[in-house]
Amino acid sequence: RVRQALDYLFDRNQIYETVYYGTANLTIGPIHPSKPYYNREILPRSFNVEKAKALLKEAGWQDSNQDGIVDKIINGERVEMNIDLIYGSGFEDFANISTIFRSSALKAGINITPRTIAAQNYFKVLKSKDFDAIISVNEWYPLHKDLNSTFGAKGSQNYSSFSNTEVDQLIKVARFTIDESKLPPL
């Protein structure tokens, strides 16, 4: 529910218009929209602060001390929702995205602290998996891509530790299907 709440607070339209001046393509995942197996039935969540607040409340996060940041008792201690959001230095668009996301998240009581990582340390942090949230890129070329390394449960570049057996099965099918038009929507 917290991840879903964060997704509702990620204002894609504002980012699309102000950071990328309307030139980017909004997508729902790592598959390029030109591919026949791009899943057009899944739509990105719309920006919705109230929905995010409701999900946070369901997950036990509320502003109990009225300081503007949601909190929760974890192991007998009140913990405020403070999220470090890291991104590589030199990416002005990532800095702008972080600013927009921080502002949006505060509306639901989540404190996001953008933090720049020097390029030489970026992949070290990625590989360590020692971060709350990260802005990263993946190739967005319309080439066939083996998604196993990035999104497979045991993928060597699965830095987010994403794991889903149904996705692993779809990736397996995609890896061994030569004719892309025969792939199910991913």
Side-chain angles (χ1 to χ4, degrees), residues 36-98:
Y37 51 92
Y38 178 80
N39 194 335
R40 293 181 187 336
E41 293 179 19
I42 300 174
L43 300 175
R45 287 187 174 99
S46 299
F47 178 70
N48 189 326
V49 175
E50 295 310 312
K51 180 70 174 169
K53 285 180 180 180
L55 286 164
L56 291 169
K57 186 175 181 179
E58 284 178 30
W61 292 93
Q62 296 187 51
D63 185 10
S64 67
N65 61 359
Q66 306 303 311
D67 69 349
I69 304 299
V70 295
D71 54 75
K72 181 177 182 175
I73 302 299
I74 300 174
N75 296 328
E77 200 174 315
R78 186 176 55 81
V79 176
E80 291 194 333
M81 188 171 291
N82 294 302
I83 298 173
D84 281 340
L85 175 63
I86 64 171
Y87 60 92
S89 62
F91 291 95
E92 185 178 337
D93 54 342
F94 289 179
N96 293 332
I97 289 168
S98 296

Side-chain angles (χ1 to χ4, degrees), residues 107-153:
K107 294 174 184 175
I110 299 173
N111 182 39
I112 292 181
T113 305
R115 191 164 55 99
T116 306
I117 299 288
Q120 63 268 30
N121 295 325
Y122 186 74
F123 284 104
K124 186 188 317 180
V125 171
L126 264 179
K127 290 177 183 179
S128 76
K129 301 181 182 186
D130 186 23
F131 54 85
D132 297 332
I134 193 164
I135 298 178
S136 186
V137 295
N138 200 343
E139 301 97 45
W140 289 98
Y141 306 109
L143 305 172
H144 183 70
K145 177 169 172 41
D146 182 1
L147 300 171
N148 189 57
S149 67
T150 308
F151 297 100

Side-chain angles (χ1 to χ4, degrees), residues 145-158 162 167-172 174-175:
K145 177 169 172 41
D146 182 1
L147 300 171
N148 189 57
S149 67
T150 308
F151 297 100
K154 296 180 181 174
S156 62
Q157 295 177 343
N158 183 352
F162 178 79
V167 170
D168 284 345
Q169 189 59 36
L170 286 170
I171 288 171
K172 186 176 181 181
R175 290 179 90 184

